[in-house]
Amino acid sequence: MAQTFEYMPLDIATNEIRLLRISSAAESLDIQCSLVHISLNDPPLYFTLSYAWEEPTLYHNSSSESGPRITVNGVSCEVGHNLAAALRYSRSQRFVALWVDAICIDQTNLEERGEQVLRIRSIYEKAQTVIVWLGCEAQDSKDALEFIELIAQQYDNPDASSWLRKVVTERTHSHAWRALRDLLERSWWTRVWVVQETSAAATIEAVCGDYRVSWESLIRFAEVLSWCFHEIGLLLRNLEGLDMNYVSLNGLYCHHRIRSRLASGEALKIMGMLELTRYCNSTDDRDKLYGILGLVQDVTIANPTYRIPSHEVFRDLARSWIEAYKSLDIISMDAPRRQDIQLPSWTPDFGSNVQGRIAINYGRSYAAKETVSAVEFSSSDTILSCQGVCVDEIDGLGFDPWGANQADKSIVQPRHRNSVYKSENSTFSALWRTTVADAKRHNFGHVEAPGYFGQLFTKHCRKAESLLGAPPDEGVLRPHRPGAPEFEKWYQANRNMAIADGRTIRAWILVQPSIDDYTLEEEWGVDAEARDSFELTSFQMKWHRRLITTRKGYIGIAPRQVRQGDKVCVLWGCCTPLVLRPVEGRYLCIGECNLTVS
């Protein structure tokens, strides 16, 4: 916020914050406000605002053009379009005392910004109501919210998924789906600070324009869609030409999970919270951590500060976690990192929004999970020394059809034809289990992959094969069919890859017995939700990863940046194997990998 008035310092000893008092003047007049200091130890009645500063879906030039102005303490100040709309709504509802981060925190005072990070939770907990401002009414948002309430009403319906499929296939609510798509594109849904703001709130009221919807309705809506979202998403794409925002729904459901855990007294841990919020956005990379600090109870940053760059904040957190837990599990959280951030290879890029870990914890131990890590850090905190063992070497590399550059987009055939699998059945089982990391996506969680995933894998590959025809020469990638599903893109890119005894994936698929839909349903119990879970899990585990084979003959998946000759290592205290690359007497950590044992 651009302002010229002078903030009075807060008294940290008495737990002071500022509140924005809005004048109840006529709505036709400019917004007149004043800032007052109050103590959170004995606060008056006030409301808090949960909103997004910029809303490009509504105000396309809001970041480049000057914004509307309000008066604070007699001084004219520029604010964002979305905040100005939220303040006008607050004035109309007589919410005369508000806490608004952009105004109540001196954004030019880096010390104060850091100090307030650890107070955010208390500020939202002690508010009368948290007002979730989704933006002004536009793009048929009222129709979208009414549709949300209609879907939420199916929460207690055991056939809710069938009801949703019927609604889509009969095309009775085409307009509502489009309005819902537009609403879910708004910025609030994926803002990282929202997680803490809604999780800590005593009461939440969501508002869009003048239309209100209960928080319970939003949560029930997200849960109902989560039961078959991937299938519904494919139907909407095919029938309506719509791509629904999965990230927004996932964020809303995660808000609910966190809120429920806090209500039950569960102690939240930072590693789990980073997993849950990995898709959230923030203008400042440091806020990907600072936005959740008030919710976690294990490793914290004692003095959050905006005076050091994000790569130092990330490195300090990783080191603190490793030292506190005597574990290297946090290294396995690394995702494809951005090119413009300087980090030690053992420090995850917590600012990245890309896919999370392969090592989904659903009751099994991986690698050296139960061991204790003995580590040392260099004086500059850039080099981590630890113990472990090299167990294998990467040999063959599959295609990454979603790769960021052409260097990732080529099959590297294995030099060796070894196999650790004792039979053709165990080899094929290893192949399909690898493609889903032996996991099943279920209600935004994971369980061990069921056997029918292998049948669905075969069926999807055979369907793709029938559409594609004979493969071109090795290493040649022809364009995807227009509108090709993601699985077909992956199969087209990888069917020429040799695995195990040297046969290609295509050759393995062609010798598998075919299976019809009736057998899948009657003998394997595969319904629409099971198919949906397979497709979603399969896509998520392949995204930003490559199929690999190893010198000893394992099949696995690893980050897209791996190269032939990289080492597969088990480090003491790490829950997954890691890919390490020898460089001048040291190793670069490329990321986690998963080798399928049988």
Side-chain angles (χ1 to χ4, degrees):
M1 183 188 75
Q3 90 284 332
T4 56
F5 66 87
E6 184 177 353
Y7 281 91
M8 297 298 293
L10 294 171
D11 186 348
I12 304 303
T14 59
N15 208 13
E16 267 193 349
I17 64 168
R18 301 182 187 93
L19 290 182
L20 188 70
R21 292 200 179 276
I22 305 175
S23 169
S24 57
E27 294 187 16
S28 60
L29 300 177
D30 291 339
I31 297 172
Q32 305 284 327
C33 311
S34 61
L35 282 173
V36 297
H37 289 216
I38 64 102
S39 171
L40 277 177
N41 297 336
D42 185 23
L45 185 148
Y46 68 94
F47 298 82
T48 53
L49 199 59
S50 177
Y51 71 105
W53 173 260
E54 291 187 356
E55 187 45 78
T57 65
L58 300 177
Y59 310 103
H60 299 293
N61 297 316
S62 60
S63 61
S64 58
E65 295 181 353
S66 58
R69 305 190 76 83
I70 66 172
T71 300
V72 182
N73 290 356
V75 177
S76 178
C77 307
E78 181 184 329
V79 297
H81 290 271
N82 201 43
L83 176 55
L87 292 176
R88 285 193 293 270
Y89 170 80
S90 300
R91 181 175 62 180
S92 72
Q93 300 299 310
R94 301 295 188 264
F95 300 149
V96 293
L98 274 176
W99 189 86
V100 183
D101 59 353
I103 302 175
C104 295
I105 298 176
D106 183 354
Q107 299 297 326
T108 65
N109 186 328
L110 297 183
E111 281 77 13
E112 181 177 306
R113 285 175 61 191
E115 290 166 352
Q116 292 298 297
V117 164
L118 298 179
R119 283 183 167 77
I120 300 297
R121 178 175 177 177
S122 293
I123 291 170
Y124 279 83
E125 276 181 337
K126 296 188 177 186
Q128 170 82 4
T129 302
V130 173
I131 308 301
V132 169
W133 177 251
L134 297 174
C136 62
E137 184 174 341
Q139 303 165 323
D140 299 315
S141 55
K142 182 178 178 182
D143 296 337
L145 291 169
E146 289 175 344
F147 193 41
I148 283 174
E149 291 180 318
L150 177 63
I151 294 174
Q153 291 170 11
Q154 304 302 313
Y155 181 78
D156 295 318
N157 178 5
D159 295 322
S161 297
S162 298
W163 178 86
L164 271 174
R165 292 185 202 101
K166 183 178 180 181
V167 166
V168 178
T169 55
E170 294 185 356
R171 307 190 68 180
T172 55
H173 291 72
S174 298
H175 171 76
W177 283 113
R178 292 184 182 278
L180 178 60
R181 187 273 313 272
D182 292 339
L183 183 66
L184 292 177
E185 290 296 322
R186 298 193 183 187
S187 302
W188 181 88
W189 306 97
T190 55
R191 179 173 167 264
V192 70
W193 282 103
V194 162
V195 175
Q196 187 166 198
E197 293 165 0
T198 57
S199 299
T203 307
I204 306 173
E205 182 178 281
V207 183
C208 185
D210 291 324
Y211 195 95
R212 304 182 188 186
V213 62
S214 71
W215 184 252
E216 181 183 29
S217 290
L218 287 176
I219 295 304
R220 289 190 167 201
F221 151 76
E223 288 213 45
V224 171
L225 271 187
S226 76
W227 298 334
C228 56
F229 179 78
H230 189 65
E231 181 191 3
I232 295 301
L234 290 175
L235 287 173
L236 287 170
R237 179 184 295 176
N238 294 333
L239 296 175
E240 304 287 357
L242 292 177
D243 284 316
M244 299 299 287
N245 194 324
Y246 168 81
V247 175
S248 295
L249 286 170
N250 185 68
L252 184 58
Y253 188 80
C254 287
H255 299 169
H256 171 56
R257 290 175 63 188
I258 295 166
R259 187 172 167 83
S260 299
R261 290 178 182 180
L262 287 173
S264 68
E266 181 179 342
L268 301 182
K269 297 184 177 181
I270 197 163
M271 196 162 169
M273 287 294 295
L274 287 168
E275 278 289 321
L276 284 173
T277 60
R278 66 184 179 273
Y279 293 119
C280 292
N281 298 317
S282 63
T283 304
D284 189 315
D285 276 353
R286 292 164 290 195
D287 286 338
K288 290 293 289 277
L289 298 183
Y290 294 166
I292 61 174
L293 276 186
L295 297 174
V296 300
Q297 298 180 28
D298 56 344
V299 177
T300 62
I301 299 173
N303 297 299
T305 177
Y306 288 91
R307 287 200 174 277
I308 63 175
S310 57
H311 69 267
E312 290 186 27
V313 175
F314 295 169
R315 184 198 63 202
D316 290 349
L317 174 70
R319 174 170 179 165
S320 296
W321 196 96
I322 290 169
E323 290 177 333
Y325 282 95
K326 301 294 187 289
S327 167
L328 296 176
D329 283 357
I330 200 165
I331 298 178
S332 71
M333 293 190 69
D334 202 13
R337 59 183 63 197
R338 296 160 297 167
Q339 297 295 319
D340 58 346
I341 188 165
Q342 300 294 320
L343 287 169
S345 67
W346 54 268
T347 299
D349 180 4
F350 297 117
S352 172
N353 289 26
V354 183
Q355 178 66 38
R357 298 179 297 156
I358 300 171
I360 307 301
N361 181 14
Y362 49 87
R364 297 185 297 172
S365 294
Y366 295 80
K369 181 176 177 63
E370 304 303 324
T371 60
V372 176
S373 174
V375 303
E376 293 181 0
F377 295 90
S378 65
S379 58
S380 62
D381 275 350
T382 57
I383 300 172
L384 179 151
S385 300
C386 60
Q387 294 181 319
V389 59
C390 177
V391 296
D392 213 336
E393 180 179 298
I394 291 180
D395 193 16
L397 298 172
F399 240 67
D400 172 20
W402 308 284
N405 56 66
Q406 285 297 320
D408 298 330
K409 289 190 168 186
S410 58
I411 287 177
V412 178
Q413 295 290 12
R415 299 169 178 151
H416 304 87
R417 294 294 185 264
N418 301 324
S419 176
V420 297
Y421 309 111
K422 303 304 182 184
S423 67
E424 292 199 353
N425 284 341
S426 62
T427 302
F428 188 72
S429 176
L431 173 61
W432 72 257
R433 288 187 182 278
T434 295
T435 64
V436 293
D438 205 9
K440 174 189 174 184
R441 181 77 172 173
H442 179 70
N443 284 355
F444 294 98
H446 290 82
V447 295
E448 188 171 351
Y452 63 74
F453 267 23
Q455 302 296 329
L456 289 171
F457 174 79
T458 303
K459 192 171 183 65
H460 277 68
C461 289
R462 280 184 169 275
K463 181 179 179 180
E465 182 67 33
S466 68
L467 293 168
L468 294 168
D473 293 336
E474 179 181 315
V476 177
L477 179 64
R478 61 190 182 196
H480 302 301
R481 291 188 311 109
E486 303 301 336
F487 191 98
E488 182 183 320
K489 294 177 184 177
W490 177 86
Y491 179 75
Q492 177 183 350
N494 287 281
R495 59 180 175 160
N496 246 13
M497 181 182 178
I499 60 172
D501 61 357
R503 280 183 284 174
T504 64
I505 292 175
R506 179 175 184 263
W508 279 96
I509 291 298
L510 293 179
V511 298
Q512 300 304 310
S514 59
I515 186 169
D516 55 35
D517 288 334
Y518 178 82
T519 304
L520 277 172
E521 293 171 8
E522 295 300 317
E523 295 186 14
W524 291 86
V526 176
D527 56 13
E529 290 184 33
R531 296 172 187 269
D532 180 63
S533 178
F534 168 76
E535 291 172 9
L536 182 57
T537 305
S538 178
F539 174 69
Q540 286 188 324
M541 293 306 176
K542 296 185 186 81
W543 186 248
H544 292 284
R545 298 186 178 110
R546 305 175 81 171
L547 195 68
I548 62 169
T549 62
T550 70
R551 184 168 186 166
K552 291 182 179 178
Y554 286 100
I555 305 171
I557 51 175
R560 67 156 60 127
Q561 297 90 345
V562 295
R563 299 175 187 169
Q564 194 171 52
D566 285 345
K567 308 302 180 183
V568 178
C569 300
V570 172
L571 304 184
W572 303 158
C574 191
C575 62
T576 59
L578 296 173
V579 178
L580 302 183
R581 182 174 299 155
V583 177
E584 298 179 354
R586 298 193 177 99
Y587 290 90
L588 286 178
C589 181
I590 308 303
E592 64 170 349
C593 69
N594 183 69
L595 303 183
T596 303
V597 177
S598 61

